[in-house]
């Protein structure tokens, strides 16, 4: 049984836990929050254990253990809920997601990142479960009524491409670095706003007040000037 493990919650938070922690507070090492609903799938990349995939609400997200504030990559928001997801054991850049409308999405980040490489309508009811063969060539999809559809993947999706692992490493490192820069920038702006609000509380701005008899004095003065001119 592994010492460290991860679990997804109904609140959309992923917890990284350690069974051999000395105190109860240390058993939860980190938490990753990014989904608006329950986390239905959670799996580490078989080639890059620091990066893991989560599926919940309308999106699938890829995370890095080095960055806890936000995910490094995510899919677009779909119209229907996502129900499951898994990595390809043969290709580090490929993962699969299933939806409530019965569609299967195949994502290949070597091809494109904003949209799925392939979307297939498997059935007319919700797909609840995905399981892929160890070799990565067969994919089983389970529907809400218990029907199982077995799909055979093409060689382009089941065989690793040339320099794919190095390319995926660069993608993950680039996106992790970008999110770290954005996170540090957000913290700087937050600290500046906090310091500004504290300074305003200590030294409130003094508003100029008009004397009560100022208007009368001005009227008298203007009247004297007019008399002198006459």
């Amino acid at each position: 049984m592994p010492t460290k493990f991860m679990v997804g919650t109904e609140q959309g938070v992923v917890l990284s836990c350690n069974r051999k922690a000395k105190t109860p507070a240390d058993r939860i090492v980190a938490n990753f929050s990014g989904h608006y609903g329950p986390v239905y799938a959670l799996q580490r990349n078989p080639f890059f254990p620091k990066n893991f995939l989560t599926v919940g609400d309308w999106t699938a997200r890829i995370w890095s253990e080095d960055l806890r504030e936000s995910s490094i990559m995510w899919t677009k928001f779909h119209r229907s809920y996502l129900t499951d997801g898994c990595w390809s054991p043969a290709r580090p850049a490929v993962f699969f997601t299933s939806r409530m409308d019965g569609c299967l999405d195949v994502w290949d980040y070597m091809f494109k990142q904003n949209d799925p490489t392939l979307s297939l309508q498997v059935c007319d009811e919700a797909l609840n479960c995905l399981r892929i063969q160890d070799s990565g060539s067969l994919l089983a999809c389970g529907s809400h009524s218990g029907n199982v559809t077995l799909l055979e993947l093409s060689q382009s999706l089941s065989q690793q491409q040339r320099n794919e692992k190095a390319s995926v490493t660069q993608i993950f490192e680039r996106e992790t670095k970008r999110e770290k820069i954005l996170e540090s920038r957000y913290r700087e702006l937050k600290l500046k706003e906090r310091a500004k609000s504290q300074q305003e509380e200590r030294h409130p701005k003094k508003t100029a007040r008009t004397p009560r008899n100022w208007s009368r004095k001005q009227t008298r003065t203007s009247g004297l000037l007019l008399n002198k001119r006459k």
Side-chain angles (χ1 to χ4, degrees):
M1 185 178 292
T3 303
K4 297 181 180 179
F5 63 94
M6 304 187 77
V7 61
T9 66
E10 292 185 352
Q11 291 75 27
V13 180
V14 177
L15 302 177
S16 178
C17 306
N18 187 359
R19 290 192 308 108
K20 293 187 177 180
K22 295 182 180 179
T23 61
D26 295 336
R27 290 180 182 177
I28 299 178
V29 180
N31 64 80
F32 306 86
S33 179
H35 289 287
Y36 299 102
V39 178
Y40 292 113
L42 171 62
Q43 186 184 20
R44 291 185 181 273
N45 190 302
F47 298 89
F48 305 98
K50 283 189 176 182
N51 299 100
F52 56 94
L53 172 72
T54 60
V55 173
D57 52 63
W58 304 271
T59 61
R61 296 177 178 270
I62 298 176
W63 304 76
S64 172
E65 285 188 344
D66 299 333
L67 191 66
R68 301 178 182 179
E69 298 296 329
S70 63
S71 54
I72 60 173
M73 302 178 76
W74 53 88
T75 64
K76 63 179 183 180
F77 280 78
H78 296 277
R79 293 184 177 179
S80 59
Y81 263 62
L82 271 64
T83 56
D84 199 3
C86 64
W87 289 102
S88 168
R91 291 194 52 196
V94 174
F95 65 93
F96 310 89
T97 57
S98 59
R99 306 202 309 246
M100 287 286 290
D101 57 0
C103 284
L104 170 72
D105 291 330
V106 182
W107 297 83
D108 185 358
Y109 277 169
M110 293 292 293
F111 183 63
K112 55 182 177 180
Q113 299 178 7
N114 297 326
D115 297 300
T117 305
L118 174 66
S119 293
L120 179 65
Q121 185 74 39
V122 179
C123 59
D124 296 330
E125 57 182 346
L127 288 176
N128 291 343
C129 186
L130 294 177
R131 290 295 182 271
I132 192 167
Q133 189 188 23
D134 293 338
S135 62
S137 58
L138 296 176
L139 179 67
C141 307
S143 67
H144 180 70
S145 61
N147 296 322
V148 178
T149 304
L150 190 63
L151 303 174
E152 184 177 1
L153 303 177
S154 62
Q155 291 184 357
S156 60
L157 293 173
S158 59
Q159 292 183 3
Q160 192 171 150
Q161 299 180 6
R162 186 179 180 182
N163 298 327
E164 180 177 355
K165 193 172 182 180
S167 299
V168 175
T169 302
Q170 292 177 359
I171 292 174
F172 286 167
E173 289 179 351
R174 181 192 67 208
E175 296 301 323
T176 302
K177 184 178 180 180
R178 180 180 64 85
E179 286 297 325
K180 284 183 177 180
I181 293 173
L182 292 175
E183 182 183 338
S184 62
R185 179 59 179 165
Y186 174 74
R187 287 179 178 176
E188 288 178 3
L189 293 174
K190 209 169 183 179
L191 289 173
K192 286 182 180 179
E193 290 179 357
R194 187 181 299 175
K196 187 177 180 180
S197 62
Q198 290 177 354
Q199 188 175 3
E200 290 178 353
E201 290 177 358
R202 294 175 182 174
H203 306 285
K205 293 182 179 179
K206 295 182 179 179
T207 56
R209 294 183 178 180
T210 304
R212 293 180 180 179
N213 56 352
W214 181 81
S215 59
R216 296 178 181 177
K217 288 182 178 180
Q218 188 181 27
T219 306
R220 292 174 182 175
T221 307
S222 59
L224 290 172
L225 290 173
L226 288 173
N227 293 330
K228 287 181 179 180
R229 287 178 183 177
K230 289 178 181 179

